[in-house]
Amino acid sequence: MKHSRAALVLLVFSAATAVAGAQTVFQPRPSDFHFPDSAVVRAGYARALQAPLREVIGRPDEIHLSRYHGHRIKYRVLTEGDGVYQLFLVEHRGEFPIDGAGSYVIKRNRDSGVFEQVKIFLLSDSEFFVRIFPDPVRGSRMDVVIAGDTVHRSVRVPLQFNRVLVEPFDLVAALTRNVVDWDRFRAQDALSWSEQLQETARRFQATGKLADVFLAPEPTEMIPLDRLRSRLFHEYQQEPGRVVSGVVYPSRFHTDNPETDEIVIFPYITESGRFRMTAFAGQQQISVHSLVAQFPEAYFALSVRRPDSLSIGNLRDDD
């Protein structure tokens, strides 16, 4: 099975490279991503992507079946504000969401027709994506956003922007692997924990106590509050079922007067692939996004509680 999967990825790369007119052969490793790549469909639009905007605007929606993944891909054109957007949307549950995992949103300036960026969604979540920009010196450059936090800025992508638009995303990942830890996006394998963790959160809201299914808290670590969301995703990816707690302080060195009482956060991924952070101050549910916005320069004294895998699976029966 591993050999056939690798061969399939190579076939996808070969097809896309042939359309893009590249001369070198790239030898990728099998995909790290669970979303189906639209590379073959995008490569088929290589000329349309470069066409004058008068030929692009008003073009009807078109749906294609990817013969490699068995998924349908919708090509769509939108005009909004100063931009003309060409979208390649992957089907998820019978729909084509713009923020679905694997979707490409390509923006050109409406006046000049110049490419400005492409936004690629890594999960079926509007806060997990990369933005890649043309760069006349470096080929392209990329920002990486995880759970709303920009964790990498201006990462060099040694690939011309027109190739970024038609090549498989695995090529971008392979070329930037020394900077970006792409393995963190394998969290889809952990969906089985979501129901148990949501049940734990409901019980915490009702009782103000964590169910007796967690190990002792680990030592506290002080982190910038504006990195809390991406850290929550990291903890979830490392071991699904972890619960994070902590207190907000005005700075790393001023810990005498906390800004908040203890906050308890339950990170998980829903069945639709969206990352959620259910948080409580006491028994009152709060928004992690609002917390970060309220204290943008603050620090969070983070502590992690790991699940006892032998007992958390029986949580529902422990009434």
Side-chain angles (χ1 to χ4, degrees), residues 62-87:
E62 298 171 341
I63 296 178
H64 303 269
L65 179 65
S66 171
R67 63 183 182 274
Y68 297 112
H69 296 287
H71 285 74
R72 296 196 301 166
I73 310 294
K74 175 184 281 190
Y75 170 79
R76 184 181 182 188
V77 178
L78 293 177
T79 302
E80 183 176 312
D82 65 349
V84 175
Y85 300 85
Q86 292 172 277
L87 288 66

Side-chain angles (χ1 to χ4, degrees), residues 100-141:
S103 289
Y104 276 58
V105 179
I106 302 166
K107 181 182 180 182
R108 294 172 65 179
N109 184 279
R110 189 173 183 177
D111 295 327
S112 66
V114 172
F115 285 104
E116 293 187 353
Q117 63 171 275
V118 57
K119 187 174 184 179
I120 307 165
F121 290 94
L122 303 173
L123 298 177
S124 289
D125 191 306
S126 61
E127 297 188 329
F128 288 78
F129 59 87
V130 301
R131 279 196 180 99
I132 303 180
F133 307 88
D135 189 310
V137 177
R138 300 186 294 176
S140 302
R141 56 186 173 84

Side-chain angles (χ1 to χ4, degrees), residues 112-220:
S112 66
V114 172
F115 285 104
E116 293 187 353
Q117 63 171 275
V118 57
K119 187 174 184 179
I120 307 165
F121 290 94
L122 303 173
L123 298 177
S124 289
D125 191 306
S126 61
E127 297 188 329
F128 288 78
F129 59 87
V130 301
R131 279 196 180 99
I132 303 180
F133 307 88
D135 189 310
V137 177
R138 300 186 294 176
S140 302
R141 56 186 173 84
M142 175 178 67
D143 294 345
V144 181
V145 177
I146 298 177
D149 295 344
T150 303
V151 297
H152 294 285
R153 293 184 186 273
S154 294
V155 176
R156 179 176 180 264
V157 182
L159 199 64
Q160 292 299 314
F161 189 74
N162 64 331
R163 288 193 62 194
V164 170
L165 301 181
V166 298
E167 295 282 7
F169 186 75
D170 277 350
L171 177 55
V172 175
L175 293 172
T176 57
R177 189 174 299 282
N178 62 324
V179 177
V180 182
D181 178 14
W182 296 111
D183 290 338
R184 67 175 60 189
F185 295 102
R186 290 179 176 178
Q188 190 75 359
D189 298 335
L191 289 178
S192 60
W193 287 90
S194 294
E195 185 176 352
Q196 290 95 327
L197 203 60
Q198 290 178 71
E199 177 67 18
T200 306
R202 286 190 289 268
R203 292 194 178 196
F204 181 83
Q205 186 174 27
T207 66
K209 297 180 180 179
L210 279 174
D212 190 21
V213 294
F214 291 94
L215 304 177
E218 297 179 356
T220 298

Side-chain angles (χ1 to χ4, degrees), residues 194-269:
S194 294
E195 185 176 352
Q196 290 95 327
L197 203 60
Q198 290 178 71
E199 177 67 18
T200 306
R202 286 190 289 268
R203 292 194 178 196
F204 181 83
Q205 186 174 27
T207 66
K209 297 180 180 179
L210 279 174
D212 190 21
V213 294
F214 291 94
L215 304 177
E218 297 179 356
T220 298
E221 176 185 354
M222 195 75 79
I223 67 168
L225 185 61
D226 64 3
R227 288 291 178 265
L228 175 60
R229 294 168 294 191
S230 55
R231 178 59 181 270
L232 289 170
F233 181 75
H234 172 75
E235 295 295 341
Y236 174 83
Q237 191 273 339
Q238 289 294 308
E239 184 178 18
R242 290 184 179 185
V243 172
V244 172
S245 61
V247 176
V248 176
Y249 290 102
S251 74
R252 180 188 292 272
F253 306 106
H254 296 84
T255 58
D256 294 333
N257 298 305
E259 301 281 8
T260 67
D261 294 329
E262 184 181 46
I263 295 168
V264 180
I265 310 172
F266 301 83
Y268 60 91
I269 285 185

